[in-house]
Amino acid sequence: MYDICCIGHITLDKVITNRGEKHMAGGTSFYFSNALRNMDVNYCLVTALAVSENRFVEELRANGTEVIALPSKHTVYFENNYANSLDHRTQRVLQTAYPFTVDQLGNIDAAIFHLGPLLADDIPLALIKELGGRARISLDVQGYLRKVEDKQVQAVDWEEKKEALQYVEIVKADESELQVLTGTNSVRRGAEMLAEWGVKEVVITFNSKGSLVYANNIFYDIPAFVPAVETDATGCGDTYMAGYLYQRVKGASVQDAGEFGAAMASLKIESSGPFTGTKEAVLLQMEKSKTYNTTIN
């Protein structure tokens, strides 16, 4: 029985910033898993990728992460372009991997399953229903809001959202994803709508402007922590959720979990690649770092 099990594809990532171009592993599952590798939590990753990228799995295993790697003809390949701003990216999808199935997850038990779809068909509705019947489900909704046309990623609504979200306890989205999902420009009203559809904890991130969590009819304003230097924002949302869920599964309050996740994300943005630090490093960041004051309407 795992405390947390993440389901999602490890990707090949091309990251373009005003400092140049880098090639690396990526995806929700990659950043989420690395952020937890030094934490005191019983964790497992379920991923799918081509044999040619098995080195990514072996690196995770070598650093203590338990990984169930399923076969796929291809590995998901993303191009993330931050050339104009680390707060905004454009994306292209150059290849995709096989989706996950109910049969593949039948023998895995966890207190929380964190689902990290990168594209709309990665994790089908049937799998959400099956997992939701036996565990708490956390979902990064981004993949369900992506449509790929001529390799370009475009924002679309998720047709199965109301049926699927009945089985999901925690949802993470950024401000633009929330708007696509709910059709409203009001962040607080959008969070309330997700709660009306069955979500118990709605986590909304605003890049460098902080985050907002809506739970038990209460809005929690989470400040952003100031990084020493801003280098690469890829994976910050995944790092935030790793910290948030780690703290929640340990019994922390919503506010404390949000601040821990935000501090972890601020450490991640200071360098390219995933956060691989310790709980103590995050707590130190929370103590020493000034925060951006923010109230989201």
Side-chain angles (χ1 to χ4, degrees), residues 9-270:
H9 293 105
I10 294 176
T11 69
L12 289 166
D13 274 6
K14 178 194 294 185
V15 179
I16 302 169
T17 69
N18 57 11
R19 297 189 177 194
E21 179 179 308
K22 293 188 177 182
H23 297 260
M24 61 188 73
T28 291
S29 63
F30 178 76
Y31 287 98
F32 188 93
S33 298
N34 273 289
L36 289 178
R37 79 186 201 189
N38 291 317
M39 303 294 163
D40 56 327
V41 63
N42 188 11
Y43 173 73
C44 176
L45 166 64
V46 178
T47 192
L49 73 175
V51 173
S52 56
E53 277 70 58
N54 270 347
R55 66 188 183 280
F56 300 146
V57 170
E58 295 309 317
E59 288 171 4
L60 284 168
R61 288 173 175 163
N63 287 305
T65 300
E66 185 169 347
V67 183
I68 298 172
L70 303 170
S72 177
K73 183 177 181 180
H74 299 293
T75 298
V76 179
Y77 188 4
F78 270 93
E79 179 185 88
N80 298 305
N81 192 327
Y82 294 92
N84 296 319
S85 168
L86 288 180
D87 274 354
H88 178 73
R89 70 182 175 190
T90 58
Q91 288 186 308
R92 294 200 307 154
V93 177
L94 307 182
Q95 62 187 28
T96 62
Y98 293 153
F100 299 96
T101 68
V102 171
D103 290 343
Q104 291 171 335
L105 277 296
N107 296 323
I108 300 174
D109 290 320
I112 297 177
F113 283 98
H114 180 59
L115 310 184
L118 301 173
L119 299 169
D121 61 354
D122 284 356
I123 299 176
L125 176 60
L127 183 53
I128 293 178
K129 289 182 175 181
E130 200 277 334
L131 294 175
R134 56 189 171 95
R136 299 167 65 191
I137 301 299
S138 168
L139 170 66
D140 188 323
V141 76
Q142 63 179 338
Y144 292 115
L145 305 178
R146 286 173 173 159
K147 180 181 180 181
V148 181
E149 289 189 353
D150 296 326
K151 298 183 180 180
Q152 299 291 330
V153 176
Q154 300 179 3
V156 296
D157 197 4
W158 180 17
E159 292 183 0
E160 298 175 318
K161 60 189 178 185
K162 291 187 179 180
E163 184 175 4
L165 292 179
Q166 299 175 53
Y167 300 89
V168 177
E169 183 168 320
I170 304 168
V171 164
K172 181 264 178 187
D174 66 24
E175 186 176 9
S176 60
E177 291 163 351
L178 181 68
Q179 183 176 344
V180 172
L181 194 62
T182 63
T184 178
N185 293 324
S186 168
V187 171
R188 291 178 182 254
R189 178 56 193 144
E192 290 171 341
M193 289 174 66
L194 294 189
E196 291 166 3
W197 297 344
V199 180
K200 292 182 172 61
E201 295 178 26
V202 180
V203 180
I204 310 300
T205 58
F206 304 91
N207 299 313
S208 61
K209 298 178 183 178
S211 56
L212 183 78
V213 182
Y214 182 61
N216 299 314
N217 299 317
I218 299 172
F219 287 101
Y220 298 86
D221 288 300
I222 312 297
F225 289 78
V226 182
V229 61
E230 295 186 5
T231 300
D232 180 9
T234 304
C236 278
D238 305 317
T239 305
Y240 178 108
M241 280 306 291
Y244 182 84
L245 292 179
Y246 164 70
Q247 287 290 288
R248 291 296 281 153
V249 83
K250 290 291 185 179
S253 68
V254 168
Q255 185 72 35
D256 288 346
E259 292 184 9
F260 187 91
M264 185 183 283
S266 73
L267 289 173
K268 182 265 157 290
I269 203 173
E270 292 179 359

